[in-house]
Each structure stands twice: as structure tokens, then as C-alpha cells.
Amino acid sequence: MLAGKGANQFAESIGVNTVPTDKLVTEYEKKEWEKHKKYIVGVMEEFNTKWAHDTVGAIAVDCAGNVACATSTGGIRNKMVGRVGDSPCIGCGGYADNSSGAVSCTGHGESILKVTLARLILSHVEQGRSIADASQLSLQHMGERVQGAGGAIVVSPSGQWAATFTTERMAWAAAEDDVLWFGLNPKERLKEKLSQ
């Protein structure tokens, strides 16, 4: 894993085009940076609000039982330079193993890293817990152990799935056969038939 100057040097060595940093900063982001100059303010005021996150995760299983996961973080403003969050760390923000399932996580990255959340969920599955129970147990453990909140989507090689979270809300959706399942609020599980 490369971060900071090492990542920049590698990108330059293979010919990745670069642009000046100031071209990547919008006026909106400048205002938000001024508003939340300190990291702890960003965590307390932004992370704990309903709409501040942009993590996008996906899990999938094919007809042969092969599983896959993908996680892209929205992050938190004003992080320490060079900080690497949970999304790119195997076993933390995401994990997939054809013997147990695939997981994609969202939430406070440092908390997810401390408990290797994605791998912890699949560890519980390997010990015989259901996908939903493994997710809930692992998220509860993260809350008790490091006071972190988050969520996870999980799928087993047989196609069982769960969307579980300890945050106030988490947008999720699942396509199963010809049905679309979705929700936003706790215990919300809506469904709609997919058109063919």
C-alpha cells in the first residue's frame, strides 16, 4: 500500500497525469474546511449526522457461489495527511472469501480498522452464525470495544444476505431473483418487483 509522497512518486514513475492541488478544491469544500478546521469537530459534527457520508459498497455472489466485495469511502474532512482509512485495508472495510461470504462496511474508519470488522463478521459466519447475526454481533462488539458505529452488507456463497447497521440510518438495496429489497431506517425492509 502506498500513501502520501510514495504514492505520488509511483504515479509519476508510471506516467499518471497530474494536476495542481488547487484545481481539485471546490469553493464548497473551502467553506466546509473553514467551518471544521479541526478533525475532532469534523468527526463529532459531520460523522454523527444523518447525511454526511458517501461510502458506497457492493457485494455479489454468482451462480457458482463465487463472492466479491467492493468499498469506496466518502471519508471525513480534515484527516491527518497520509491517513489511510478502512476501505483499502483487507479485512477492515471489505473482505470476500468463497468459503464464507463477502462483506462491505461503512462507518467510522478508525473504529472499523481496530476490530477488522469485515473479517470479524465472516469469522462469526465460519463459527456457524447466520449472516444477520454475525453482522449484528460484530457491529455491537465494535460499539462496545471502541465506541464506533457503522454498518455492513453481507452475502454468503449460497445467496443469503443482510444489511445491518448501528448508525442512525444506512441506505441499502439488494437484488434477489426478481425482487428489489431496500431500506434506510432501522428495521425497514421494503420490496418491489423488478420489471423484466
Side-chain angles (χ1 to χ4, degrees):
M1 181 181 297
L2 297 172
K5 290 181 182 178
N8 290 339
Q9 289 171 348
F10 175 73
E12 289 171 14
S13 76
I14 61 169
V16 173
N17 292 330
T18 60
V19 295
T21 303
D22 63 326
K23 298 287 183 198
L24 301 173
V25 181
T26 66
E27 285 303 315
Y28 173 78
E29 288 301 328
K30 285 181 189 176
K31 288 177 186 172
E32 288 298 304
W33 181 81
E34 286 293 333
K35 184 176 164 187
H36 302 290
K37 280 187 179 180
K38 295 188 178 179
Y39 175 73
I40 194 67
V41 174
V43 172
M44 298 307 291
E45 290 184 13
E46 278 204 1
F47 180 77
N48 291 324
T49 64
K50 298 177 193 174
W51 308 109
H53 316 296
D54 298 319
T55 299
V56 176
I59 51 173
V61 59
D62 69 12
C63 61
N66 297 303
V67 296
C69 72
T71 307
S72 174
T73 186
I76 299 173
R77 285 183 184 85
N78 303 332
K79 296 178 294 287
M80 182 179 281
V81 173
R83 180 257 192 190
V84 176
D86 62 290
S87 295
C89 295
I90 296 170
C92 296
Y95 195 75
D97 184 329
N98 281 347
S99 67
S100 52
V103 181
S104 179
C105 300
T106 184
H108 185 242
E110 279 64 25
S111 298
I112 292 170
L113 282 160
K114 288 175 184 175
V115 299
T116 55
L117 184 59
R119 183 65 192 110
L120 179 61
I121 292 169
L122 291 184
S123 176
H124 286 300
V125 170
E126 291 162 1
Q127 294 169 25
R129 300 226 183 234
S130 71
I131 294 288
D133 287 348
S135 298
Q136 193 61 50
L137 184 65
S138 299
L139 287 164
Q140 182 180 344
H141 170 75
M142 184 172 75
E144 293 167 357
R145 182 78 187 268
V146 296
Q147 293 72 53
I153 52 174
V154 188
V155 68
S156 72
S158 66
Q160 295 175 332
W161 59 270
T164 312
F165 54 99
T166 55
T167 52
E168 189 173 337
R169 292 179 169 175
M170 182 180 87
W172 62 271
E176 181 180 24
D177 298 321
D178 64 345
V179 176
L180 176 67
W181 297 90
F182 57 96
L184 176 65
N185 296 303
K187 301 185 192 266
E188 186 173 59
R189 191 170 162 131
L190 306 170
K191 70 177 181 176
E192 186 176 300
K193 189 165 177 61
L194 295 169
S195 58
Q196 303 240 350

